Amino acid sequence: MVQPDWLNARIVPPLTVLERPLAASWRASAGPGRELAGTWCRDARGDTRLDYDDPPRISRLWKPATHTMAWLSHADRTVRIALGKPIFPALDRWAPTRPWRFSFTAERRVIHGLDCARVELSPPPIGAIRDELWAAPEWGLVLLDVLETAEFQHRWEITELDRSEPQPEIFAWPTDYRRLD
């Protein structure tokens, strides 16, 4: 079973689980006017692609075998490549303000055909009115994450899920994109 430290949905979807290919549509919100949507794919090698459908359209490609992260900007047809540990530019507003410890509870639920466990955060988020996080441990995938306080609402959810192997070409950046270093 994948260990709970992959549970990073409040920042981005989890990155690498081998032999668990999938393609998913997702949507997220952080309150009124802060909506995001896109797709997320992973192949059996653990390579991932995260696409943000909303402007500015960008994609993030992660290849764990080579520790290569590529950010594609479709508006200006550029690619920025980083080697080493994954980086997440422009997503810091989603980051938790303090460290949390994640643990699976005994509660179970099936979402999109996957056996999910409810995840508990410790310590609980300050001021949480609703804190609900459901993950499929064998798939390393958060399917639903809801956090509501009096001032803030966050929601991440997988809206569609296909467990077949994605086409290999979606994990390569276009050769006609200009590389920025």
Side-chain angles (χ1 to χ4, degrees), residues 20 29 38 60-61 66 86 89-90 111 115 128 134 141 177:
R20 297 284 192 225
S29 67
R60 184 195 73 206
L61 307 176
T66 59
I111 303 174
D115 179 39
W134 291 90
L141 184 64
Y177 276 35

Side-chain angles (χ1 to χ4, degrees), residues 14-154:
L15 292 177
T16 303
V17 175
L18 302 178
E19 302 302 323
R20 297 284 192 225
L22 59 87
S25 295
W26 59 270
R27 70 175 166 233
S29 67
R34 295 180 64 195
E35 308 280 324
L36 293 172
T39 56
W40 186 68
C41 300
R42 177 177 61 208
D43 68 10
R45 292 184 320 252
D47 292 356
T48 63
R49 179 180 177 128
L50 175 65
D51 292 302
Y52 296 87
D53 291 343
D54 303 303
R57 270 205 74 243
I58 59 171
S59 298
R60 184 195 73 206
L61 307 176
W62 167 241
K63 295 185 176 297
T66 59
H67 296 279
T68 305
M69 175 78 69
W71 286 91
L72 307 177
S73 171
H74 302 291
D76 61 6
R77 303 179 62 77
T78 58
V79 59
R80 184 177 304 272
I81 298 170
L83 298 174
K85 195 171 182 177
I87 55 170
F88 307 105
L91 293 175
D92 58 344
R93 69 179 181 271
W94 292 80
T97 56
R98 61 192 175 129
W100 285 320
R101 191 176 56 80
F102 299 94
S103 59
F104 294 104
T105 69
E107 289 181 71
R108 305 302 268 197
R109 177 177 167 188
V110 174
I111 303 174
H112 295 297
L114 299 181
D115 179 39
C116 295
R118 187 173 175 129
V119 177
E120 193 171 79
L121 293 171
S122 178
I126 296 170
I129 297 167
R130 180 178 176 199
D131 186 26
E132 184 177 357
L133 197 148
W134 291 90
E138 296 298 322
W139 285 80
L141 184 64
V142 173
L143 284 105
L144 177 65
D145 178 5
V146 179
L147 174 62
E148 295 176 6
T149 69
E151 297 91 29
F152 180 80
Q153 293 180 10
H154 159 86

